[in-house]
Amino acid sequence: MTAESARPRVPINPGYFTIPDDPEEPPRLLGSKCEACGEHYFPRRAICARPECLSERVIDVELGPHGTLYSYTFVHLPLFGSTNLAHMDGYGVGQVDLTEGPRVQFPLAGKQAEFRIGQTLQAELDVLREDGGNDVVIVRFRPLEGPAVGTGAAGPLAARTPEACGERDGSLQAPKSDRLQR
């Protein structure tokens, strides 16, 4: 355990994720499950959102910590509100399909080239800043394996090679045949 992680960890906003006692254990998102239809939600809800259900029999559940990367982008500015030097080069944001079903949007942990659509990710806590002797933490998702180009989880886009899509620096562009000629 480092000196930085020895400070008490507090969530940036209470009620959205767990902070395990063991720093090596991944956090869980705090969501809901409809007991009538089985649908899961994040964040928590008081009533099922499915129009054919609308049940009030909704219970609190822990979601994750694993999911599949559905979509992502990278922002080349420091993470807003962070004083962590690791965030100064920018950050990724991904839409992650949790194992239980909900699609959530969270920051990504790692470099742009480490991510591919269809890849398995795991939630982790990251220190955003220090405040009053506490580490203020957020949830972010990190790849569990290397780049997953060609996996079937992302549909037709995953079957295209990076070269065919004009990939450059880990970002996808339209295939060369689809680009406008100037």
Side-chain angles (χ1 to χ4, degrees):
M1 183 180 277
T2 66
E4 182 180 8
S5 63
R7 288 192 292 264
R9 300 178 298 167
V10 297
I12 188 167
N13 278 328
Y16 288 95
F17 56 89
T18 65
I19 299 180
D21 291 334
D22 179 357
E24 299 301 315
E25 185 181 331
R28 302 289 186 133
L29 301 180
L30 300 175
S32 299
K33 177 182 178 184
C34 176
E35 291 185 303
C37 71
E39 191 74 26
H40 287 84
Y41 296 98
F42 178 82
R44 292 184 272 196
R45 301 185 56 88
I47 298 173
C48 181
R50 291 183 61 208
E52 62 275 8
C53 183
L54 300 175
S55 173
E56 294 181 15
R57 292 185 8 235
V58 178
I59 59 171
D60 291 344
V61 294
E62 292 183 2
L63 304 172
H66 298 107
T68 302
L69 186 59
Y70 174 79
S71 178
Y72 69 100
T73 190
F74 269 74
V75 179
H76 300 284
L77 295 170
L79 183 60
F80 182 78
S82 177
T83 58
N84 185 336
L85 291 177
H87 299 152
M88 295 303 130
D89 289 336
Y91 61 99
V93 176
Q95 290 187 339
V96 179
D97 291 335
L98 298 176
T99 306
E100 297 85 356
R103 179 172 293 154
V104 297
Q105 184 169 303
F106 277 92
L108 300 175
K111 302 289 183 196
Q112 188 169 353
E114 297 173 32
F115 292 92
R116 296 290 180 266
I117 292 171
Q119 187 174 35
T120 301
L121 307 177
Q122 178 173 297
E124 68 177 27
L125 294 176
D126 185 37
V127 176
L128 187 66
R129 65 180 174 270
E130 188 271 332
D131 184 26
N134 295 319
D135 283 339
V136 177
V137 296
I138 60 171
V139 171
R140 63 183 187 172
F141 280 82
R142 176 176 299 284
L144 279 182
E145 78 268 353
V149 173
T151 63
L157 185 58
R160 302 176 91 170
T161 65
E163 296 78 22
C165 293
E167 184 168 334
R168 187 177 59 191
D169 300 326
S171 59
L172 293 176
Q173 300 176 5
K176 291 178 182 165
S177 62
D178 294 348
R179 293 187 198 154
L180 295 174
Q181 301 296 318
R182 293 185 191 251

